[in-house]
Amino acid sequence: GLRVDLYVNDIPYQRMQDALAQLPTADGALKQLRDVSTGVASPAATEPATINDWHNSALNDAQRRAVRKAVATDDVHLIHGPPGTGKTTTATEVLQQCVDRGESVLATAASNTAVDNVVAFLAEQGTDVVRMGHPARVNDRLRTHTLDAQIEDTDTHRRSQQKREKAFAVLDRQEDLTAPSGRWRRGMSDRKIKERAEQGRGSRGVPPERIEEMAAWLALQERADALFDEAEALEQEAIDEVLGAADVVCSTNSTAGSDLLDGHTFDTLVIDEATQATAPSCWIPMTHARRAVLVGDHKQLPPTIQNQEAARRGLRHTLFERLAHHHETAPEAPGSIRSLLRRQYRMHETIMGFPNRTFYDGRLEADDTARHRTLADLGVPEHALPADERRAILDPEASLVFVDTSGIDAPEHQRSGSHSRENPREADLIAQLTTALLEAGVAPSAIAVISPYDDQVDRIDRALAPDGPETDTVDGFQGREKEIVLLSLVHSNDRGAIGFLDEPRRFNVAVTRAE
């Protein structure tokens, strides 16, 4: 029979362990990063940098202030970006300003998608960027920026390949010789085989000609091994060549712990989506940096921690959160290690109202391009919308509509053997509303249907046409946005139980996906 066992990839875990193991005995920049991150030391006080030439002239005042403070930091700075405020745009400007200053720069994120977003931003600006990681995990459009692709263009790599080809040609010559194994070796060491070959002697029933062939086989093996070693050294030289010439090196947090970066230290590290990465994950690239800029929003969902014991013991708290907690001052205060991006370009001001009051101390403001955006701005004519009860919900002038299902028979259900939840009546209503929008001329690509529960997403997905709008969980849709978002909350019971919807940050993500 055939058996296949699935094992968890423990390489990221081991790299986290290796990074954390360096912290107790750290010195220099890593010691300062460690002490500031744990609250033992205060961050170095720095004045915001003076910047005259901006790569992105459209940056707003809050984004520019964040860039100035990030570029000037001597140890660590946090860029706090609520939904729609342009976190990656700001992070990219930080990277480019550091390049302009002649610094070596590393940019990382927890996911391959997030890294690809940074690479795409930089590539569009003409920055010489190298994307580390397996090419299969990189967006096809960015293949030319991968380390593998750029290495292939170097003379050093070509010389390495030539060495390998020679090595394999040498090994081919072994086929006509007797290999020193099995009945011919008879316990003889390599050294003994060579000695007897020089003397022209046999040994314990092994004729001299076999001894000579085995000695010749060993000589070819040594020659091939030497060529392979030379090829490997040239390959590492090619890697160092490409990495050293790049303006910015990009990778996932985990890949930053690969052997490829052994011996490489960067002046500046920028971690995008740092609030979606565990603290040990962030320490992997931080062991390669003199200073770090973390970009994220700790008021949105943190990384998913499967092991509840690990979550309780502190893994649920990201490095970004810890830094914000240990050095808690207003973002605008002198010496603050945190900058807040205040202007958001995604949501109508009504949609922004709840998260602004609840999570961002009322500091957010809606840009004029988004402040009054409604369904009517998508070019949907009033006469195209249904005239029945759905019309009140699909009001073209309304930016945010709550649909109360408590007055209808719409109980939640749990499938046999499932830990998830679903609400069939609510799924039907979502499907009806989605169909009405499509029939009114809204493109499927402009709509997203999201729900906190996998089973509800599955039920809605099956109710819609295969070429219909995108469906996903709230957690899966974090970092994304659509012009129209239909949110199915599922829960409807006599106990008033709302399950893991009791996490305010999940609701923050859910309501801030709409443009």
Side-chain angles (χ1 to χ4, degrees):
L2 180 64
R3 169 175 165 169
V4 177
D5 291 328
L6 178 64
Y7 288 91
V8 174
N9 182 358
D10 68 346
I11 292 175
Y13 172 77
Q14 190 56 54
R15 288 173 178 170
M16 292 182 204
Q17 291 278 63
D18 293 344
L20 294 176
Q22 297 182 46
L23 299 185
T25 57
D27 56 11
L30 184 57
K31 179 179 184 296
Q32 175 68 0
L33 287 173
R34 179 200 68 190
D35 292 347
V36 170
S37 299
T38 54
V40 173
S42 298
T46 52
E47 290 296 318
T50 299
I51 297 175
N52 296 317
D53 297 320
W54 295 91
H55 290 265
N56 186 345
S57 59
L59 292 178
N60 62 49
D61 291 342
Q63 290 171 325
R64 293 187 181 214
R65 186 163 54 248
V67 173
R68 289 191 185 100
K69 292 173 74 173
V71 168
T73 188
D74 284 334
D75 36 47
V76 65
H77 190 74
L78 307 178
I79 297 179
H80 182 190
T85 53
K87 291 187 289 293
T88 302
T89 300
T90 307
T92 303
E93 185 71 33
V94 172
L95 292 166
Q96 292 174 307
Q97 291 296 334
C98 290
V99 170
D100 290 348
R101 284 161 170 70
E103 298 178 12
S104 55
V105 184
L106 174 64
T108 68
S111 70
N112 280 292
T113 300
V115 176
D116 283 347
N117 287 340
V118 174
V119 174
F121 263 89
L122 292 170
E124 287 171 11
Q125 299 295 318
T127 304
D128 186 357
V129 56
V130 172
R131 167 67 155 99
M132 295 177 61
H134 196 292
R137 299 189 181 97
V138 179
N139 188 301
D140 286 341
R141 295 181 296 106
L142 305 174
R143 288 289 168 86
T144 57
H145 298 285
T146 61
L147 179 61
D148 290 49
Q150 296 198 27
I151 286 173
E152 288 177 3
D153 287 338
T154 65
D155 288 335
T156 310
H157 171 75
R158 283 188 277 273
R159 285 162 48 211
S160 172
Q161 290 300 95
Q162 289 169 359
K163 294 282 186 183
R164 288 185 191 281
E165 289 167 8
K166 287 182 180 177
F168 284 119
V170 169
L171 292 179
D172 286 343
R173 289 160 55 192
Q174 290 178 326
E175 293 180 4
D176 297 327
L177 301 171
T178 299
S181 60
R183 66 190 183 97
W184 296 117
R185 182 177 276 274
R186 297 284 178 89
M188 289 184 287
S189 66
D190 290 350
R191 183 175 59 81
K192 183 66 70 176
I193 290 172
K194 293 174 188 175
E195 286 177 356
R196 293 192 179 276
E198 288 175 5
Q199 298 164 357
R201 295 169 51 197
S203 173
R204 297 167 54 191
V206 182
E209 57 270 20
R210 292 290 186 184
I211 295 285
E212 289 175 8
E213 282 191 15
M214 287 192 291
W217 192 99
L218 289 170
L220 290 174
Q221 187 64 50
E222 289 171 0
R223 174 61 182 148
D225 289 344
L227 286 167
F228 281 128
D229 288 343
E230 291 172 23
E232 192 171 327
L234 285 169
E235 191 72 10
Q236 186 59 52
E237 189 180 321
I239 291 169
D240 293 342
E241 225 175 90
V242 171
L243 294 179
D247 291 334
V248 181
V249 175
C250 295
S251 79
T252 60
N253 292 339
S254 177
T255 299
S258 72
D259 294 342
L260 298 175
L261 284 187
D262 279 355
H264 286 269
T265 301
F266 296 85
D267 296 317
T268 300
L269 162 69
V270 175
I271 304 180
D272 197 15
E273 295 191 358
T275 49
Q276 292 183 46
T278 62
S281 169
C282 289
W283 278 113
I284 298 173
M286 285 175 71
T287 61
H288 291 282
R290 295 188 175 91
R291 60 179 186 155
V293 177
L294 277 63
V295 185
D297 180 14
H298 54 302
K299 304 300 183 181
Q300 294 186 63
L301 284 168
T304 300
I305 308 297
Q306 300 289 357
N307 186 297
Q308 293 307 305
E309 178 63 19
R312 283 193 295 271
R313 292 170 70 96
L315 197 59
R316 74 173 78 211
H317 299 298
T318 64
L319 186 59
F320 191 108
E321 281 182 282
R322 293 177 186 277
L323 282 159
H325 172 73
H326 289 312
H327 309 285
E328 190 172 3
T329 56
E332 293 82 4
S336 172
I337 70 163
R338 180 163 62 99
S339 297
L340 176 68
L341 305 182
R342 300 183 56 177
R343 187 183 303 175
Q344 64 85 16
Y345 299 84
R346 177 185 300 168
M347 296 165 279
H348 189 286
E349 58 187 358
T350 301
I351 302 175
M352 183 189 76
F354 163 74
N356 196 19
R357 291 189 304 272
T358 308
F359 298 103
Y360 306 112
D361 302 322
R363 288 194 173 102
L364 288 188
E365 57 187 40
D367 188 73
D368 289 340
T369 58
R371 186 184 304 275
H372 304 298
R373 186 184 298 145
T374 63
L375 183 60
D377 294 310
L378 289 180
V380 179
E382 284 196 43
H383 63 78
L385 292 167
D388 56 23
E389 66 275 5
R390 293 175 295 174
R391 179 56 184 268
I393 299 173
L394 300 178
D395 180 354
E397 295 300 328
S399 60
L400 178 64
V401 178
F402 288 97
V403 182
D404 184 2
T405 61
S406 61
I408 63 174
D409 185 23
E412 64 184 86
H413 293 286
Q414 190 168 8
R415 298 179 188 178
S416 177
S418 173
H419 296 292
S420 188
R421 298 273 171 176
E422 62 182 343
N423 189 317
R425 181 70 183 87
E426 200 173 286
D428 290 342
L429 179 57
I430 289 285
Q432 292 173 29
L433 294 171
T434 304
T435 300
L437 287 168
L438 295 172
E439 290 175 349
V442 179
S445 60
I447 305 172
V449 181
I450 62 176
S451 174
Y453 291 97
D454 285 312
D455 284 356
Q456 184 73 347
V457 171
D458 176 63
R459 177 173 280 274
I460 293 170
D461 196 40
R462 286 187 281 113
L464 299 175
D467 57 349
E470 184 176 356
T471 59
D472 205 344
T473 61
V474 172
D475 296 45
F477 208 68
Q478 177 158 296
R480 304 279 310 284
E481 59 191 62
K482 289 285 185 179
E483 285 89 344
I484 300 172
V485 174
L486 291 91
L487 169 63
S488 175
L489 292 172
V490 177
H491 278 292
S492 179
N493 55 67
D494 296 333
R495 306 183 310 280
I498 59 172
F500 78 161
L501 294 185
D502 197 27
E503 164 59 89
R505 291 179 293 184
R506 181 165 284 108
F507 195 66
N508 183 30
V509 171
V511 299
T512 56
R513 298 306 94 200
E515 293 185 357

